[in-house]
Short mmCIF file of all heavy atoms in Angstrom, two decimals:
data_model
loop_
_atom_site.label_atom_id
_atom_site.label_comp_id
_atom_site.label_asym_id
_atom_site.label_seq_id
_atom_site.Cartn_x
_atom_site.Cartn_y
_atom_site.Cartn_z
N MET N 146 128.63 93.64 35.94
CA MET N 146 128.61 95.07 35.71
C MET N 146 128.27 95.78 37.02
O MET N 146 127.45 95.32 37.80
CB MET N 146 127.60 95.41 34.62
CG MET N 146 127.56 96.85 34.27
SD MET N 146 126.72 97.06 32.69
CE MET N 146 127.08 98.73 32.39
N ALA N 147 128.88 96.92 37.23
CA ALA N 147 128.68 97.69 38.45
C ALA N 147 127.27 98.25 38.53
O ALA N 147 126.63 98.53 37.51
CB ALA N 147 129.68 98.84 38.49
N ASP N 148 126.78 98.41 39.74
CA ASP N 148 125.49 99.05 39.98
C ASP N 148 125.75 100.55 40.07
O ASP N 148 126.17 101.05 41.10
CB ASP N 148 124.87 98.51 41.26
CG ASP N 148 123.46 99.01 41.48
OD1 ASP N 148 122.80 99.41 40.50
OD2 ASP N 148 123.01 99.01 42.63
N ILE N 149 125.51 101.25 38.97
CA ILE N 149 125.83 102.68 38.87
C ILE N 149 124.61 103.50 39.27
O ILE N 149 123.50 103.25 38.81
CB ILE N 149 126.25 103.05 37.43
CG1 ILE N 149 127.44 102.21 37.00
CG2 ILE N 149 126.56 104.55 37.34
CD1 ILE N 149 127.77 102.31 35.52
N THR N 150 124.84 104.49 40.13
CA THR N 150 123.81 105.46 40.49
C THR N 150 124.06 106.71 39.65
O THR N 150 125.06 107.40 39.83
CB THR N 150 123.87 105.80 41.99
OG1 THR N 150 123.71 104.60 42.74
CG2 THR N 150 122.80 106.81 42.36
N TRP N 151 123.17 106.96 38.68
CA TRP N 151 123.33 108.09 37.78
C TRP N 151 122.62 109.33 38.34
O TRP N 151 121.52 109.23 38.86
CB TRP N 151 122.75 107.77 36.40
CG TRP N 151 123.50 106.72 35.66
CD1 TRP N 151 123.16 105.41 35.52
CD2 TRP N 151 124.74 106.89 34.97
NE1 TRP N 151 124.10 104.75 34.77
CE2 TRP N 151 125.09 105.64 34.42
CE3 TRP N 151 125.59 107.96 34.76
CZ2 TRP N 151 126.24 105.45 33.68
CZ3 TRP N 151 126.74 107.77 34.01
CH2 TRP N 151 127.05 106.53 33.49
N GLU N 152 123.27 110.47 38.19
CA GLU N 152 122.66 111.76 38.53
C GLU N 152 121.74 112.18 37.38
O GLU N 152 121.81 111.63 36.28
CB GLU N 152 123.74 112.83 38.71
CG GLU N 152 124.69 112.56 39.85
CD GLU N 152 124.02 112.67 41.21
OE1 GLU N 152 123.17 113.56 41.38
OE2 GLU N 152 124.35 111.86 42.09
N ALA N 153 120.89 113.16 37.63
CA ALA N 153 120.06 113.72 36.56
C ALA N 153 120.98 114.30 35.48
O ALA N 153 122.08 114.77 35.79
CB ALA N 153 119.15 114.81 37.13
N PRO N 154 120.55 114.28 34.22
CA PRO N 154 121.41 114.80 33.14
C PRO N 154 121.70 116.29 33.28
O PRO N 154 120.88 117.06 33.77
CB PRO N 154 120.58 114.55 31.88
CG PRO N 154 119.58 113.52 32.24
CD PRO N 154 119.31 113.71 33.71
N PHE N 155 122.91 116.66 32.85
CA PHE N 155 123.31 118.06 32.74
C PHE N 155 123.19 118.41 31.26
O PHE N 155 123.90 117.84 30.44
CB PHE N 155 124.75 118.26 33.21
CG PHE N 155 124.94 118.00 34.67
CD1 PHE N 155 125.31 116.74 35.12
CD2 PHE N 155 124.76 119.01 35.60
CE1 PHE N 155 125.50 116.49 36.47
CE2 PHE N 155 124.94 118.77 36.95
CZ PHE N 155 125.31 117.51 37.38
N CYS N 156 122.29 119.33 30.93
CA CYS N 156 122.02 119.63 29.53
C CYS N 156 122.24 121.11 29.23
O CYS N 156 121.87 121.96 30.03
CB CYS N 156 120.57 119.28 29.18
SG CYS N 156 120.14 117.56 29.47
N GLY N 157 122.81 121.37 28.08
CA GLY N 157 122.88 122.72 27.55
C GLY N 157 121.83 122.86 26.48
O GLY N 157 121.42 121.88 25.85
N GLU N 158 121.37 124.05 26.24
CA GLU N 158 120.33 124.26 25.24
C GLU N 158 120.83 123.83 23.87
O GLU N 158 121.84 124.32 23.38
CB GLU N 158 119.93 125.73 25.21
CG GLU N 158 118.72 126.00 24.35
CD GLU N 158 118.26 127.44 24.44
OE1 GLU N 158 118.44 128.05 25.50
OE2 GLU N 158 117.73 127.92 23.44
N GLY N 159 120.15 122.87 23.27
CA GLY N 159 120.51 122.39 21.95
C GLY N 159 121.73 121.49 21.92
O GLY N 159 122.23 121.16 20.85
N ASN N 160 122.24 121.12 23.08
CA ASN N 160 123.44 120.29 23.14
C ASN N 160 123.11 118.92 23.71
O ASN N 160 122.04 118.68 24.22
CB ASN N 160 124.50 120.96 24.03
CG ASN N 160 124.99 122.25 23.45
OD1 ASN N 160 125.21 122.35 22.25
ND2 ASN N 160 125.14 123.25 24.28
N SER N 161 124.09 118.05 23.64
CA SER N 161 123.95 116.73 24.26
C SER N 161 123.86 116.89 25.77
O SER N 161 124.38 117.83 26.34
CB SER N 161 125.14 115.86 23.92
OG SER N 161 125.21 115.62 22.54
N CYS N 162 123.22 115.94 26.39
CA CYS N 162 123.12 115.92 27.84
C CYS N 162 124.10 114.88 28.38
O CYS N 162 124.17 113.77 27.86
CB CYS N 162 121.71 115.54 28.27
SG CYS N 162 120.44 116.71 27.76
N PHE N 163 124.83 115.26 29.40
CA PHE N 163 125.79 114.36 30.02
C PHE N 163 125.28 113.92 31.38
O PHE N 163 124.58 114.65 32.06
CB PHE N 163 127.15 115.06 30.19
CG PHE N 163 127.80 115.38 28.87
CD1 PHE N 163 127.61 116.60 28.26
CD2 PHE N 163 128.59 114.44 28.24
CE1 PHE N 163 128.20 116.89 27.04
CE2 PHE N 163 129.19 114.72 27.02
CZ PHE N 163 128.98 115.94 26.43
N ARG N 164 125.66 112.70 31.76
CA ARG N 164 125.29 112.17 33.07
C ARG N 164 126.54 111.75 33.81
O ARG N 164 127.48 111.23 33.21
CB ARG N 164 124.37 110.97 32.92
CG ARG N 164 123.03 111.37 32.30
CD ARG N 164 122.03 110.29 32.38
NE ARG N 164 121.51 110.23 33.75
CZ ARG N 164 120.63 109.33 34.14
NH1 ARG N 164 120.18 108.43 33.30
NH2 ARG N 164 120.20 109.32 35.39
N LEU N 165 126.55 112.01 35.10
CA LEU N 165 127.62 111.57 35.99
C LEU N 165 127.05 110.52 36.91
O LEU N 165 125.89 110.60 37.32
CB LEU N 165 128.14 112.75 36.81
CG LEU N 165 128.67 113.95 36.04
CD1 LEU N 165 129.06 115.06 37.00
CD2 LEU N 165 129.84 113.56 35.17
N GLY N 166 127.87 109.54 37.23
CA GLY N 166 127.41 108.47 38.11
C GLY N 166 128.53 107.99 39.02
O GLY N 166 129.70 108.28 38.80
N THR N 167 128.15 107.25 40.02
CA THR N 167 129.10 106.64 40.96
C THR N 167 128.62 105.23 41.29
O THR N 167 127.47 104.88 41.06
CB THR N 167 129.21 107.45 42.26
OG1 THR N 167 127.92 107.55 42.86
CG2 THR N 167 129.77 108.85 42.01
N ASP N 168 129.54 104.43 41.84
CA ASP N 168 129.15 103.12 42.33
C ASP N 168 129.71 102.92 43.74
O ASP N 168 130.46 103.76 44.25
CB ASP N 168 129.58 102.00 41.38
CG ASP N 168 131.08 101.80 41.29
OD1 ASP N 168 131.84 102.26 42.17
OD2 ASP N 168 131.52 101.16 40.32
N ALA N 169 129.36 101.82 44.35
CA ALA N 169 129.77 101.55 45.73
C ALA N 169 131.25 101.22 45.86
O ALA N 169 131.79 101.21 46.96
CB ALA N 169 128.93 100.40 46.29
N ASP N 170 131.93 100.95 44.73
CA ASP N 170 133.35 100.61 44.76
C ASP N 170 134.26 101.82 44.62
O ASP N 170 135.48 101.68 44.50
CB ASP N 170 133.67 99.60 43.65
CG ASP N 170 132.97 98.27 43.88
OD1 ASP N 170 132.83 97.87 45.05
OD2 ASP N 170 132.57 97.64 42.87
N GLY N 171 133.69 103.03 44.59
CA GLY N 171 134.50 104.24 44.50
C GLY N 171 134.86 104.64 43.08
O GLY N 171 135.82 105.38 42.87
N ASN N 172 134.09 104.19 42.10
CA ASN N 172 134.33 104.58 40.71
C ASN N 172 133.40 105.71 40.30
O ASN N 172 132.28 105.82 40.80
CB ASN N 172 134.09 103.38 39.78
CG ASN N 172 135.05 102.26 40.06
OD1 ASN N 172 136.26 102.47 40.09
ND2 ASN N 172 134.53 101.08 40.27
N GLY N 173 133.86 106.53 39.38
CA GLY N 173 133.07 107.60 38.80
C GLY N 173 132.82 107.31 37.34
O GLY N 173 133.65 106.69 36.67
N TYR N 174 131.68 107.75 36.82
CA TYR N 174 131.28 107.46 35.44
C TYR N 174 130.78 108.73 34.78
O TYR N 174 130.16 109.57 35.41
CB TYR N 174 130.15 106.43 35.42
CG TYR N 174 130.53 105.12 36.06
CD1 TYR N 174 130.41 104.94 37.43
CD2 TYR N 174 131.01 104.08 35.29
CE1 TYR N 174 130.76 103.74 38.02
CE2 TYR N 174 131.37 102.88 35.87
CZ TYR N 174 131.25 102.71 37.24
OH TYR N 174 131.62 101.53 37.83
N ILE N 175 131.05 108.85 33.47
CA ILE N 175 130.52 109.93 32.64
C ILE N 175 129.95 109.30 31.39
O ILE N 175 130.57 108.43 30.78
CB ILE N 175 131.62 110.94 32.25
CG1 ILE N 175 132.26 111.56 33.49
CG2 ILE N 175 131.03 112.04 31.34
CD1 ILE N 175 133.45 112.45 33.17
N SER N 176 128.74 109.74 31.01
CA SER N 176 128.08 109.20 29.84
C SER N 176 127.22 110.27 29.19
O SER N 176 126.87 111.27 29.83
CB SER N 176 127.19 108.02 30.24
OG SER N 176 126.47 107.54 29.14
N ILE N 177 126.88 110.06 27.94
CA ILE N 177 125.86 110.87 27.29
C ILE N 177 124.51 110.29 27.70
O ILE N 177 124.34 109.07 27.72
CB ILE N 177 126.03 110.85 25.76
CG1 ILE N 177 127.35 111.53 25.39
CG2 ILE N 177 124.86 111.53 25.06
CD1 ILE N 177 127.71 111.44 23.92
N ALA N 178 123.57 111.14 28.06
CA ALA N 178 122.25 110.67 28.48
C ALA N 178 121.65 109.80 27.39
O ALA N 178 121.69 110.14 26.21
CB ALA N 178 121.34 111.86 28.78
N GLY N 179 121.14 108.65 27.80
CA GLY N 179 120.56 107.71 26.88
C GLY N 179 121.56 106.68 26.36
O GLY N 179 121.17 105.73 25.69
N GLN N 180 122.85 106.89 26.65
CA GLN N 180 123.89 105.97 26.22
C GLN N 180 124.73 105.50 27.41
O GLN N 180 125.94 105.34 27.32
CB GLN N 180 124.78 106.62 25.17
CG GLN N 180 124.03 107.02 23.92
CD GLN N 180 124.95 107.63 22.88
OE1 GLN N 180 126.14 107.36 22.84
NE2 GLN N 180 124.39 108.47 22.03
N GLU N 181 124.06 105.28 28.53
CA GLU N 181 124.76 104.95 29.77
C GLU N 181 125.53 103.62 29.69
O GLU N 181 126.45 103.40 30.47
CB GLU N 181 123.78 104.92 30.95
CG GLU N 181 123.30 106.29 31.37
CD GLU N 181 122.19 106.87 30.51
OE1 GLU N 181 121.74 106.21 29.54
OE2 GLU N 181 121.76 108.00 30.80
N ASP N 182 125.19 102.76 28.74
CA ASP N 182 125.94 101.51 28.57
C ASP N 182 127.33 101.76 27.98
O ASP N 182 128.18 100.88 28.02
CB ASP N 182 125.18 100.53 27.68
CG ASP N 182 123.95 99.96 28.37
OD1 ASP N 182 123.88 100.02 29.62
OD2 ASP N 182 123.07 99.44 27.66
N HIS N 183 127.55 102.95 27.43
CA HIS N 183 128.84 103.33 26.85
C HIS N 183 129.37 104.52 27.65
O HIS N 183 129.07 105.66 27.34
CB HIS N 183 128.67 103.72 25.38
CG HIS N 183 128.04 102.65 24.56
ND1 HIS N 183 128.73 101.54 24.14
CD2 HIS N 183 126.78 102.50 24.11
CE1 HIS N 183 127.93 100.75 23.47
NE2 HIS N 183 126.73 101.31 23.43
N HIS N 184 130.12 104.23 28.70
CA HIS N 184 130.56 105.28 29.62
C HIS N 184 132.07 105.25 29.80
O HIS N 184 132.73 104.26 29.50
CB HIS N 184 129.88 105.12 30.97
CG HIS N 184 130.03 103.74 31.55
ND1 HIS N 184 129.06 102.80 31.44
CD2 HIS N 184 131.05 103.15 32.21
CE1 HIS N 184 129.45 101.68 32.02
NE2 HIS N 184 130.67 101.87 32.50
N LEU N 185 132.59 106.37 30.27
CA LEU N 185 133.98 106.46 30.72
C LEU N 185 134.00 106.14 32.20
O LEU N 185 133.11 106.56 32.93
CB LEU N 185 134.53 107.87 30.50
CG LEU N 185 134.60 108.37 29.07
CD1 LEU N 185 135.00 109.84 29.05
CD2 LEU N 185 135.59 107.54 28.28
N THR N 186 135.01 105.42 32.63
CA THR N 186 135.11 105.04 34.03
C THR N 186 136.48 105.42 34.56
O THR N 186 137.49 105.22 33.89
CB THR N 186 134.94 103.52 34.20
OG1 THR N 186 133.76 103.11 33.56
CG2 THR N 186 134.91 103.14 35.66
N ASP N 187 136.52 105.98 35.75
CA ASP N 187 137.77 106.27 36.46
C ASP N 187 137.44 106.29 37.94
O ASP N 187 136.31 106.05 38.33
CB ASP N 187 138.36 107.60 35.99
CG ASP N 187 139.87 107.67 36.14
OD1 ASP N 187 140.40 107.06 37.09
OD2 ASP N 187 140.52 108.32 35.33
N SER N 188 138.42 106.63 38.74
CA SER N 188 138.18 106.67 40.18
C SER N 188 137.28 107.85 40.53
O SER N 188 137.20 108.83 39.79
CB SER N 188 139.50 106.78 40.94
OG SER N 188 140.09 108.05 40.69
N LEU N 189 136.63 107.75 41.66
CA LEU N 189 135.81 108.86 42.15
C LEU N 189 136.68 110.09 42.37
O LEU N 189 136.26 111.22 42.10
CB LEU N 189 135.09 108.45 43.43
CG LEU N 189 134.00 109.37 43.95
CD1 LEU N 189 132.97 109.67 42.87
CD2 LEU N 189 133.33 108.76 45.16
N GLU N 190 137.92 109.90 42.82
CA GLU N 190 138.85 111.01 43.00
C GLU N 190 139.15 111.70 41.66
O GLU N 190 139.22 112.92 41.59
CB GLU N 190 140.14 110.53 43.65
CG GLU N 190 141.14 111.64 43.91
CD GLU N 190 140.61 112.76 44.81
OE1 GLU N 190 139.82 112.47 45.72
OE2 GLU N 190 140.99 113.93 44.59
N ALA N 191 139.31 110.93 40.60
CA ALA N 191 139.56 111.52 39.28
C ALA N 191 138.35 112.33 38.82
O ALA N 191 138.50 113.42 38.26
CB ALA N 191 139.90 110.43 38.27
N LEU N 192 137.13 111.81 39.06
CA LEU N 192 135.92 112.55 38.71
C LEU N 192 135.83 113.83 39.52
O LEU N 192 135.52 114.89 38.99
CB LEU N 192 134.69 111.68 38.95
CG LEU N 192 133.32 112.31 38.65
CD1 LEU N 192 133.23 112.74 37.19
CD2 LEU N 192 132.21 111.33 39.00
N ARG N 193 136.15 113.75 40.81
CA ARG N 193 136.13 114.93 41.69
C ARG N 193 137.11 115.98 41.18
O ARG N 193 136.79 117.17 41.11
CB ARG N 193 136.47 114.51 43.11
CG ARG N 193 136.36 115.63 44.13
CD ARG N 193 136.64 115.13 45.55
NE ARG N 193 135.62 114.18 45.99
CZ ARG N 193 135.83 112.88 46.21
NH1 ARG N 193 137.02 112.37 46.07
NH2 ARG N 193 134.85 112.11 46.61
N THR N 194 138.31 115.55 40.79
CA THR N 194 139.33 116.47 40.27
C THR N 194 138.87 117.12 38.97
O THR N 194 139.04 118.32 38.77
CB THR N 194 140.66 115.74 40.07
OG1 THR N 194 141.11 115.23 41.34
CG2 THR N 194 141.73 116.65 39.50
N LEU N 195 138.27 116.33 38.07
CA LEU N 195 137.75 116.87 36.81
C LEU N 195 136.72 117.96 37.06
O LEU N 195 136.80 119.05 36.49
CB LEU N 195 137.14 115.74 35.97
CG LEU N 195 136.43 116.17 34.70
CD1 LEU N 195 137.42 116.74 33.69
CD2 LEU N 195 135.67 115.00 34.11
N ILE N 196 135.76 117.69 37.93
CA ILE N 196 134.72 118.68 38.23
C ILE N 196 135.31 119.93 38.87
O ILE N 196 134.97 121.06 38.50
CB ILE N 196 133.63 118.06 39.12
CG1 ILE N 196 132.89 116.97 38.35
CG2 ILE N 196 132.66 119.12 39.64
CD1 ILE N 196 131.99 116.10 39.20
N THR N 197 136.22 119.75 39.80
CA THR N 197 136.87 120.90 40.46
C THR N 197 137.65 121.74 39.46
O THR N 197 137.56 122.98 39.48
CB THR N 197 137.80 120.40 41.58
OG1 THR N 197 137.02 119.66 42.53
CG2 THR N 197 138.48 121.56 42.30
N ASP N 198 138.38 121.09 38.58
CA ASP N 198 139.16 121.82 37.57
C ASP N 198 138.26 122.56 36.58
O ASP N 198 138.55 123.70 36.21
CB ASP N 198 140.09 120.87 36.82
CG ASP N 198 141.29 120.44 37.65
OD1 ASP N 198 141.50 120.99 38.76
OD2 ASP N 198 142.03 119.54 37.19
N ILE N 199 137.17 121.94 36.18
CA ILE N 199 136.23 122.62 35.28
C ILE N 199 135.64 123.84 35.98
O ILE N 199 135.56 124.92 35.39
CB ILE N 199 135.13 121.65 34.80
CG1 ILE N 199 135.72 120.63 33.82
CG2 ILE N 199 133.97 122.41 34.15
CD1 ILE N 199 134.79 119.51 33.45
N LYS N 200 135.23 123.68 37.25
CA LYS N 200 134.68 124.81 38.00
C LYS N 200 135.71 125.93 38.16
O LYS N 200 135.34 127.11 38.22
CB LYS N 200 134.19 124.34 39.36
CG LYS N 200 132.91 123.53 39.28
CD LYS N 200 132.49 122.97 40.62
CE LYS N 200 132.08 124.07 41.56
NZ LYS N 200 131.56 123.54 42.84
N ALA N 201 137.00 125.58 38.21
CA ALA N 201 138.06 126.57 38.38
C ALA N 201 138.42 127.25 37.06
O ALA N 201 139.28 128.12 37.02
CB ALA N 201 139.29 125.91 38.97
N GLY N 202 137.78 126.83 35.97
CA GLY N 202 138.01 127.49 34.68
C GLY N 202 139.10 126.87 33.84
O GLY N 202 139.44 127.42 32.79
N LYS N 203 139.62 125.72 34.23
CA LYS N 203 140.72 125.12 33.48
C LYS N 203 140.31 124.56 32.13
O LYS N 203 141.16 124.23 31.31
CB LYS N 203 141.38 124.03 34.31
CG LYS N 203 142.11 124.59 35.53
CD LYS N 203 142.83 123.51 36.29
CE LYS N 203 143.57 124.08 37.49
NZ LYS N 203 144.28 123.03 38.25
N ALA N 204 139.01 124.48 31.85
CA ALA N 204 138.55 124.01 30.54
C ALA N 204 137.85 125.13 29.76
O ALA N 204 137.28 124.87 28.71
CB ALA N 204 137.60 122.83 30.71
N ASP N 205 137.94 126.36 30.24
CA ASP N 205 137.25 127.48 29.58
C ASP N 205 137.72 127.68 28.13
O ASP N 205 136.96 128.15 27.30
CB ASP N 205 137.45 128.77 30.36
CG ASP N 205 136.61 128.83 31.62
OD1 ASP N 205 135.85 127.87 31.88
OD2 ASP N 205 136.74 129.80 32.38
N HIS N 206 138.94 127.30 27.83
CA HIS N 206 139.45 127.47 26.47
C HIS N 206 138.72 126.57 25.46
O HIS N 206 138.80 126.77 24.27
CB HIS N 206 140.96 127.18 26.42
CG HIS N 206 141.30 125.77 26.76
ND1 HIS N 206 141.31 125.31 28.07
CD2 HIS N 206 141.62 124.72 25.97
CE1 HIS N 206 141.63 124.02 28.06
NE2 HIS N 206 141.82 123.64 26.81
N LEU N 207 137.96 125.59 25.95
CA LEU N 207 137.20 124.71 25.08
C LEU N 207 135.84 125.30 24.70
O LEU N 207 135.16 124.77 23.83
CB LEU N 207 136.98 123.35 25.76
CG LEU N 207 138.26 122.59 26.09
CD1 LEU N 207 137.94 121.37 26.94
CD2 LEU N 207 139.00 122.19 24.83
N LEU N 208 135.46 126.37 25.36
CA LEU N 208 134.15 126.99 25.10
C LEU N 208 134.18 127.89 23.90
O LEU N 208 135.10 128.52 23.57
CB LEU N 208 133.68 127.76 26.33
CG LEU N 208 133.55 126.92 27.59
CD1 LEU N 208 133.20 127.83 28.76
CD2 LEU N 208 132.47 125.87 27.41
#
């Protein structure tokens, strides 16, 4: 299993907390805080694109 470096959780009031992580092999990870053993994995570039697109408002319709 990869040695994942997890960031501090991102939490909304009354919502689940999400964690983002990376490893030395260039992979990115997303998990619910406390459930890091069950994560989504993709390339670091894919994680970077996801974050950039969310910041650009491309997921605002989900709010």
Side-chain angles (χ1 to χ4, degrees):
M146 183 164 190
D148 186 23
I149 303 169
T150 301
W151 292 102
E152 297 291 323
F155 294 92
C156 302
E158 188 174 330
N160 295 319
S161 296
C162 298
F163 294 93
R164 295 191 77 182
L165 302 176
T167 58
D168 68 17
D170 295 325
N172 297 308
Y174 300 85
I175 301 174
S176 176
I177 295 174
Q180 298 182 26
E181 288 80 0
D182 289 341
H183 304 284
H184 53 262
L185 297 173
T186 307
D187 207 327
S188 68
L189 191 53
E190 182 59 34
L192 179 60
R193 185 177 295 113
T194 299
L195 174 67
I196 293 168
T197 301
D198 286 352
I199 289 171
K200 287 175 67 175
K203 293 183 179 180
D205 285 358
H206 64 283
L207 298 172
L208 301 175

